[in-house]
Amino acid sequence: MSPLPRSLLPDTATVDAGGALSIGGCDVGELAAEHGTPLFVYDEAHVRARCREAVAAFGPGRVVYATKAFLCRAMARLAHEEGMLLDVASGGELHVVTAAGVPAEACTFHGNNKSVDELRAAVTLGVRNVVVDGFDELDRLDALHAGGLPVPDVLLRVTPGVHAHTHEYVATGQDDSKFGFNLANGDAAAAVARAQRSPAVRLVGLHCHIGSNVFAAGSFARATEVMATFAATYDLPQLVLGGGLGVAYVAGEDAPTITEWAAAVLGACDELGVTADVSVEPGRSIVAAAAVTVYTVGAVKVIPGVRTYVAVDGGMSDNPRPVLYGSGYEAFLPRATGADRPLAARVVGKHCESGDVLLFDARLPADLAVGDLLAVPVTGAYGHSMGSNYNKVPRPPVLFVHDGEARIVVRRETYDDLLATDVG
Ligand code: LLP
């Protein structure tokens, strides 16, 4: 019934007397009229504010933006300008970041199955750190070194045996994980010993990441404790405690701020007497709440006594999270941002399957009609970045809005783009 909580909108969102939403000084209805829908609108000031908060809380050089959450060249430059390092988890992410002009020395290279080519590119370009995920990767680094490659500074990713309270698909700190060297079975200690005597790598620290969209500060404190205790044996200069801070997606959710997260992590480090440089890798908490996705309603189907379906012009191709994880979102009409939402409906996309759901149980204004714009807030992380071309639907553009100016940082895909890699 109740209106959309304003706290779910980007920082610079304003609503005029008639209920119309502006972000970054730009009227959302006008943006949709000019650029079409679906459309990702990012509040640049919001992203910068979260970067600054993180750098202020953890210290310069100690915050690594996880580009998997949202990446394009403008985003890479923005994060770099704001004093963040960048976490890349594939050769492709490294390519986009360096194509943006960000130096490889500002990048940390991740991944649980880095190919020889990816490792060669990362080391040749001179990334700041390679985060080694397993023994096979140490073998590959040995071989590359034997082939004449320089010696990279590496961190070892440790699986601390801490089960974060989050969706099973994004929990990564438990023993049963594809990521990292297990602490419990001695693999982590064996990996440290091997790396320390290897001529192919320079071991500079340890890394862990317990999962994503974690709300419980206690999970971070617990992982910090386990990692600090293990790291104390080795006296290495760096300790990286991953990303994972959750954000509020729907009414009633309340996530810690970046500053509160820092207090939990750094407080635990202080208590444990950690002397290493402690850094973190936030993705979601930097960009999620900065963006809204704007769609157009194309069909309303009422099945009396069963359900109302509201179909929009995007769907699981621009936001697979509801289908993958059952993630919840809110929706509203940007022409009536603060309106009551008595209409219960399922918001679906335009893809050819029943699983194509954006909001399983949406609440919307009663006067919603075909042709209305419908917006979903908190779509700035893992939406665009996990998008697809399912049904050959072109991907939406990304706009950065700031001080009344909107700039296209990723243009809308065309039908010809769909043929760009199709060599016939
Ligand atoms: N560091 C490492 C090593 C990671 O694997 C991740 C995320 C991060 C940092 C950033 O975590 P964040 O602060 O964004 O939670 N697609 C899923 C999330 C997958 C996260 C993967 N790793 C989702 O949409 O919820």
Side-chain angles (χ1 to χ4, degrees), residues 109-124:
F109 196 68
H110 273 281
N112 72 301
N113 182 15
K114 306 173 190 74
S115 69
V116 172
D117 285 347
E118 286 178 318
L119 286 168
R120 185 184 298 110
V123 176
T124 308

Side-chain angles (χ1 to χ4, degrees), residues 194-385:
R194 174 167 165 184
Q196 279 180 328
R197 40 165 217 272
S198 168
V201 298
R202 198 164 23 254
L203 180 64
V204 295
L206 299 173
H207 173 282
C208 80
H209 170 76
I210 55 169
S212 196
N213 208 27
V214 177
F215 281 63
S219 295
F220 294 113
R222 175 82 193 114
T224 305
E225 191 185 323
V226 172
M227 289 300 292
T229 308
F230 179 62
T233 336
Y234 303 109
D235 193 27
L236 296 165
Q238 288 191 49
L239 179 62
V240 183
L241 295 169
L245 177 61
V247 303
Y249 282 94
V250 295
E253 277 185 332
D254 191 19
T257 63
I258 291 172
T259 307
E260 288 164 350
W261 177 45
V265 168
L266 298 179
C269 287
D270 274 351
E271 271 179 33
L272 296 155
V274 172
T275 51
D277 284 350
V278 173
S279 50
V280 288
E281 298 168 334
R284 188 189 315 268
S285 54
I286 301 294
V287 287
V292 304
T293 311
V294 187
Y295 303 96
T296 301
V297 175
V300 178
K301 173 177 174 177
V302 182
I303 313 172
V306 178
R307 189 188 300 285
T308 295
Y309 283 94
V310 172
V312 297
D313 51 356
M316 62 193 291
S317 58
D318 58 74
N319 187 359
R321 300 192 69 258
V323 192
L324 274 175
Y325 319 117
S327 308
Y329 285 89
E330 299 275 352
F332 65 100
L333 305 184
R335 67 167 165 79
T337 310
D340 274 345
R341 299 177 299 167
L343 173 66
R346 178 160 289 180
V347 177
V348 296
K350 63 181 278 133
H351 295 281
C352 295
E353 59 177 275
S354 298
D356 174 28
V357 176
L358 286 170
L359 282 88
F360 289 91
D361 293 303
R363 306 296 301 202
L364 292 160
D367 65 346
L368 169 141
V370 168
D372 263 331
L373 296 176
L374 180 149
V376 177
V378 201
T379 54
Y382 304 108
H384 182 266
S385 69

Side-chain angles (χ1 to χ4, degrees), residues 132-140 181 186-188 190-192 194:
V132 175
D133 212 272
F135 291 108
D136 297 301
E137 214 166 286
L138 287 172
D139 292 345
R140 279 174 217 162
F181 297 97
D187 277 357
V192 171
R194 174 167 165 184

